[in-house]
Amino acid sequence: MTFEEFIMQARTLGASDIHLTVGSPTVIRVNGELCKFTELSDQVVHRTIVSILSAEQEKLLSEGNDIDFSFELKNGARQRVNVFHQSGRLACSIRLLNAEIPTLNQLGMPPVLLDLAKKRRGLVLVTGPTGAGKSTTLAAMIQHINETRACHIITIEDPIEYRYSQIKATVHQREIGRDVPTFDYALRSALREDPDVILIGEMRDYETISLAMTAAETGHLVFGTLHTSSAAQTIDRIIDVCPSHAQEQVRTQLANMIQGIIAQTLVPSVDGKTRCAAVEIMLGTDAIKNLIRSNKIAQMETTMQGGTMQGMQTLIESLCRLYKDGKITYQTAIEYSGNPMEMEKKMLSR
C-alpha cells in the first residue's frame, strides 16, 4: 500500500486524524473516538514518517525539533502534519483536511455568522478545543467574503489548511516557516500590504494579540482563533496574556473593536456516525462592550441569554436546540453542557 492509498483509506472510513507511532498500533480518529487502523510494522511506520519529510525537515527533526507542515495528495486532498519524538521513537499526527470549503449553511451555522463576515472592520474570534472545527468555520466565512466582495484578503497560517481560489477577492496566503518567520512578523508586514481582511491562524501571545487589535482598530476586519471554550473565557484569556500595565488599555481596545466571538465544540449526532457543532455566539453589542470595559465578564452569559433577538446564544441554548431538533441525544446535551443542572432546567422549560 502506498502512502497516498493509506491516507485515502483513512478518509474513506471518515477519519479526521491519523496517529502513526513507532512501537505502537496505528490509530485513527472517527467521530471523535480513536480506533485501531491498519497493522504496520515498526520499520514501515518509521519509513513512512521519514518519507513525507524534506531533507531540511529531517535535519531539524534529528536536532530535536518538532516538525509542523502541510502536504497535498495528487487529487488535491490536504493534510496537516506534526512529526515529533516520544520515548526516543518517531511519531506523527496527521489531520485530514477537507479538499473543498463547505458553506456556513452546510456546517449548520446560525445566519448571524454571515452578518459577521459582512463587517468592514473589527475583530471576530472563533474559539474552541483542538479538533472543534474552528479552521473549517473560519474558512467558510473567508470563502463567503471571497465570493461576495472585491477586497484583499491576507491569511497567516501555521500551516496553511485550506486553499482559496481567487473569485471576487484577491487572496494571499502566508505560511509560517515557509513564507514568513512568525505570526507577529507577518502581521507587521500585512499592515503595509493594503489588506481589507486578515486571518490569523492562532493568536498565541501578547505580541500577536496586540498587533491583531491594532489592525482591527485601523480599519481592517481581523479573524483569529484561540483555544478557549467560551466567550467569557476568551475575553479573560486575551486580558490575562497581556502584561499587567497594559491590561486596562487592552480591555478598552477590545471593547471598542470586538464584533463577535464564536465558541464551538463538536458533539456526537444522534445516529452515532457523525458530529454536529454546538455553538456559543457573543456579539459586540453596547451591553457586551460595557461589560468588557468595566471588567464584569461574569455577567456576560446573562447578557447573552437576553440577546437572542440579536443572534446571541449560550452553549446551553445551542445544545438545547440541537436536542429539540432531534440532532443529539438528551445524554449528549447534558454531558457537553458544562452545567448539567442548568441544562436540565433549560430543557424542561421548553
Side-chain angles (χ1 to χ4, degrees), residues 170-285:
T170 295
V171 186
H172 288 127
Q173 296 186 256
R174 310 194 76 191
E175 182 167 295
I176 303 300
R178 186 180 67 176
D179 302 313
V180 69
T182 62
F183 277 104
D184 57 290
Y185 183 96
L187 261 171
R188 288 182 194 279
S189 295
L191 292 175
R192 298 189 294 270
E193 292 160 2
D194 187 36
D196 298 290
V197 179
I198 303 173
L199 165 65
I200 307 166
E202 191 173 342
M203 294 168 61
R204 298 173 176 171
D205 51 37
Y206 170 63
E207 189 72 18
T208 304
I209 289 170
S210 177
L211 286 166
M213 290 196 293
T214 297
E217 262 187 329
T218 53
H220 306 89
L221 178 60
V222 179
F223 292 90
T225 71
L226 285 94
H227 291 286
T228 46
S229 58
S230 69
Q233 190 184 84
T234 301
I235 300 296
D236 283 337
R237 176 71 58 82
I238 291 172
I239 302 300
D240 290 346
V241 82
C242 300
S244 55
H245 69 270
Q247 290 185 356
E248 197 59 40
Q249 177 189 346
V250 168
R251 190 175 285 112
T252 301
Q253 279 184 297
L254 193 55
N256 288 339
M257 73 193 63
I258 193 71
Q259 293 285 9
I261 297 176
I262 302 120
Q264 67 181 64
T265 187
L266 294 179
V267 301
S269 298
V270 71
D271 61 7
K273 297 177 182 178
T274 57
R275 291 185 293 172
C276 53
V279 185
E280 180 172 280
I281 299 173
M282 186 212 80
L283 300 176
T285 62

Side-chain angles (χ1 to χ4, degrees), residues 90-129:
L90 271 187
C92 85
S93 297
I94 304 173
R95 169 66 54 84
L96 307 179
L97 305 170
N98 294 322
E100 293 186 6
I101 301 172
T103 65
L104 289 168
N105 188 51
Q106 288 170 335
L107 293 174
M109 290 294 168
V112 72
L113 268 67
L114 286 176
D115 296 334
L116 289 173
K118 293 174 184 176
K119 300 291 184 183
R120 293 300 174 118
R121 63 178 296 275
L123 185 64
V124 177
L125 301 173
V126 179
T127 76

Side-chain angles (χ1 to χ4, degrees), residues 1 32 36 44 56 65 72 74 94-95 104 125 144 152 154 167 173 179 184 196 279 282 297 313 334 338 348:
M1 184 190 301
K36 286 188 178 182
V44 170
E56 183 183 355
N65 297 287
E72 192 171 305
K74 292 175 184 175
I94 304 173
R95 169 66 54 84
L104 289 168
L125 301 173
H144 178 75
H152 182 201
I154 295 178
I167 304 175
Q173 296 186 256
D179 302 313
D184 57 290
D196 298 290
V279 185
M282 186 212 80
I297 309 304
Q313 64 183 27
I334 297 295
L348 289 172

Side-chain angles (χ1 to χ4, degrees), residues 297-308:
I297 309 304
Q299 299 177 25
M300 195 170 283
E301 186 165 343
T302 302
T303 303
M304 288 166 61
Q305 289 171 351
T308 53

Side-chain angles (χ1 to χ4, degrees), residues 279-296:
V279 185
E280 180 172 280
I281 299 173
M282 186 212 80
L283 300 176
T285 62
D286 289 342
I288 289 292
K289 290 180 177 183
N290 286 334
L291 292 178
I292 295 173
R293 284 192 196 94
S294 55
N295 197 21
K296 296 178 180 178

